[in-house]
Amino acid sequence: MSITLLGVFAGLLTSCSFIPQAYKVIKTNRTQDISLPMYSLCTIGVFVWIIYGLMINDLAILLTNIVTFVPTLIILILTLKNHIQNKQKTIKQSNWPSLRG
């Protein structure tokens, strides 16, 4: 087994760990316990790893981070969407007087 193949295998195992969470978020649409800052940083970091993998032409880094990027981006988008909807709902339900008169 080559070192690159070992790296791809290890990276794919780690990367695939995000798939069950993405599936659960898609299925339940429950994201209130997911850390928005954590998934923001993780998704940006994975994207930078993809750029790095392209720049140094490293297949292991590139493939594993592409596999990671898809579910982390899905989780981030759905978490952000739900966060915005919850904020809007909170504003509408607040006790602030209506501006409509």
Side-chain angles (χ1 to χ4, degrees):
M1 178 183 286
S2 75
I3 292 175
T4 300
L5 187 57
L6 180 63
V8 169
F9 180 67
L12 286 174
L13 288 176
T14 305
S15 299
C16 288
S17 69
F18 288 93
I19 294 172
Q21 183 68 57
Y23 175 77
K24 186 174 182 177
V25 167
I26 291 167
K27 187 175 177 185
T28 66
N29 200 33
R30 293 189 71 231
T31 59
Q32 62 268 23
D33 294 330
I34 293 177
S35 170
L36 189 56
M38 180 271 184
Y39 269 94
S40 298
L41 292 171
C42 183
T43 304
I44 293 166
V46 170
F47 183 72
V48 174
W49 274 111
I50 291 170
I51 294 169
Y52 176 72
L54 284 168
M55 291 175 75
I56 66 167
N57 201 28
D58 188 310
L59 185 63
I61 291 174
L62 188 60
L63 289 179
T64 57
N65 284 287
I66 288 171
V67 170
T68 305
F69 185 72
V70 173
T72 57
L73 184 63
I74 289 168
I75 294 167
L76 176 62
I77 289 170
L78 292 174
T79 301
L80 189 57
K81 179 184 138 240
N82 289 339
H83 180 75
I84 291 168
Q85 287 175 344
N86 289 338
K87 287 279 187 190
Q88 290 172 342
K89 199 181 299 181
T90 301
I91 290 170
K92 287 180 183 178
Q93 293 174 351
S94 70
N95 292 328
W96 288 90
S98 174
L99 297 175
R100 294 185 187 158

